[in-house]
Amino acid sequence: MIDTVWTVFAGASSLVMAAVWATPASAQSAKVEERPPMYTMISSWVIPRAQLSELEKALVDTNKALPVSSLIGYGADETVLHQTEGSTHRVWWSGMSMAAVLNALEEVLKISAPVLNRATNHWDGIFVSRFYNWHSGSSHGAYTQLTSFKLNAGAPDDAVESLSKNIFVPLFEKLLADGTLIEYEVDVQPEHTEAPDIFWISFITAKAEGLDKANAAIAEAFNTNPLFGPAFASAVNFAVHRDYLYRTEATYR
C-alpha cells in the first residue's frame, strides 16, 4: 500500500515540488529540532545454520560484555526476509558519541571472534542520527522495519533534515506516543562505507500488528497531506529504495 502511495506521488509536477521546497522548514514544523547526534554501530553476519546455536550463545555473552553504562541502546536482529547477498544476523549498539560505540566494538570482537571466524561473510557500518526517540525498556521478539532511500541528484542539501522535520518525526512521534513504536530513527553515515546520497529510516514495533498500524499511518499521512508526496518525490528516487525486516531483541535505557 505504501509503495502505491509513494509511487503515485512520484509523478508530481516539478513546479509543485519547487514550491514545497521553497517553504521554510521552520514555517512547516517549528517544533521539530535536531537532537544531539546518536551513533549506532551495526555488525552484520552471514552465519551457516549449523552454527546458529553457537551464535545464540555468543549474542548473549556479547550483550553481557557490552559497556552498557556508555550506551543508550543495544540489541540483536535476525533477518526475516532473507536475500542472496544479505546478512542472516546483526548485532547493534547505540551511544551518544563515536567513542562510545567504538569502545563497545572492542568488547564485541573479543566475545564474538569464534563465531565470526565461521561466518561466510561479515561487515560493519557506523550510522548517525539527529532525528530519533525511544521508550526505555527491553523488548523480546519485536520487529524492526528498515528502509534505505537514495536522494535524487537535484535534491537540496538539507533534504534529509527537511523530510525529517516536516514528515517523519511528527508522524513517528505520534506512533511512539500511542505505543505503536518502541523506537525510530533517521540515519546517515558519518563514515561513508556506502554511497553518501543514501539515508535510512527504521522503526521498532513490539508485535507484527504494529507494522500494519505504522504502515497504515504512513499511507494515511501521505494521502491526507497534499505537500508530503511532492516533497518526498522531489528528494528521493523511490524506484531504488530497499526494505528490510528483522526480528529484534532490544534494550533502551
Side-chain angles (χ1 to χ4, degrees):
M1 177 168 60
I2 296 173
D3 281 7
T4 302
V5 171
W6 277 336
T7 302
V8 168
F9 282 130
S13 71
S14 58
L15 290 177
V16 174
M17 295 176 194
V20 171
W21 286 116
T23 303
S26 59
Q28 298 178 50
S29 187
K31 295 184 179 180
V32 175
E33 299 292 343
E34 289 189 1
R35 304 187 69 180
M38 177 184 74
Y39 294 87
T40 299
M41 170 75 77
I42 299 178
S43 183
S44 300
W45 303 341
V46 180
I47 302 295
R49 288 185 179 275
Q51 306 299 327
L52 289 183
S53 60
E54 184 179 353
L55 172 65
E56 291 174 359
K57 181 180 183 302
L59 293 180
V60 172
D61 293 340
T62 297
N63 283 344
K64 290 179 179 178
L66 283 170
V68 295
S69 61
S70 63
L71 301 176
I72 57 90
Y74 57 91
D77 296 330
E78 180 180 356
T79 300
V80 174
L81 303 177
H82 294 277
Q83 303 171 53
T84 303
E85 302 297 329
S87 65
T88 60
H89 297 80
R90 313 187 313 169
V91 176
W92 55 267
W93 53 96
S94 300
M96 302 310 293
S97 69
M98 184 81 81
V101 296
L102 290 177
N103 290 336
L105 175 62
E106 298 299 319
E107 298 300 323
V108 171
L109 292 177
K110 291 177 186 178
I111 299 297
S112 61
V115 176
L116 285 178
N117 290 338
R118 295 174 176 83
T120 59
N121 206 351
H122 166 69
W123 60 96
D124 301 309
I126 297 179
F127 303 85
V128 61
S129 175
R130 290 173 173 81
F131 301 97
Y132 58 85
N133 205 353
W134 67 82
H135 287 303
S136 299
S138 295
S139 302
H140 306 284
Y143 284 89
T144 296
Q145 181 171 302
L146 168 69
T147 303
S148 66
F149 293 106
K150 180 181 176 66
L151 292 171
N152 287 323
D157 293 339
D158 64 347
V160 175
E161 176 186 350
S162 294
L163 290 173
S164 298
K165 288 183 176 181
N166 297 305
I167 299 178
F168 305 134
V169 172
L171 172 61
F172 291 148
E173 281 294 326
K174 290 179 181 179
L175 292 169
L176 193 74
D178 70 14
T180 302
L181 299 187
I182 295 169
E183 189 264 359
Y184 74 86
E185 59 192 85
V186 181
D187 290 300
V188 296
Q189 285 193 317
E191 305 288 337
H192 291 104
T193 54
E194 298 191 42
D197 56 356
I198 296 176
F199 69 98
W200 293 262
I201 298 174
S202 68
F203 57 79
I204 304 174
T205 67
K207 299 180 180 179
E209 289 78 6
L211 296 173
D212 290 330
K213 185 173 181 179
N215 288 327
I218 294 170
E220 181 181 5
F222 274 77
N223 277 322
T224 57
N225 192 313
L227 294 180
F228 282 8
F232 194 82
S234 69
V236 172
N237 182 352
F238 187 69
V240 295
H241 85 286
R242 293 294 181 268
D243 298 315
Y244 307 90
L245 187 63
Y246 305 96
R247 289 299 299 272
T248 295
E249 305 289 312
T251 296
Y252 282 96
R253 300 177 62 203

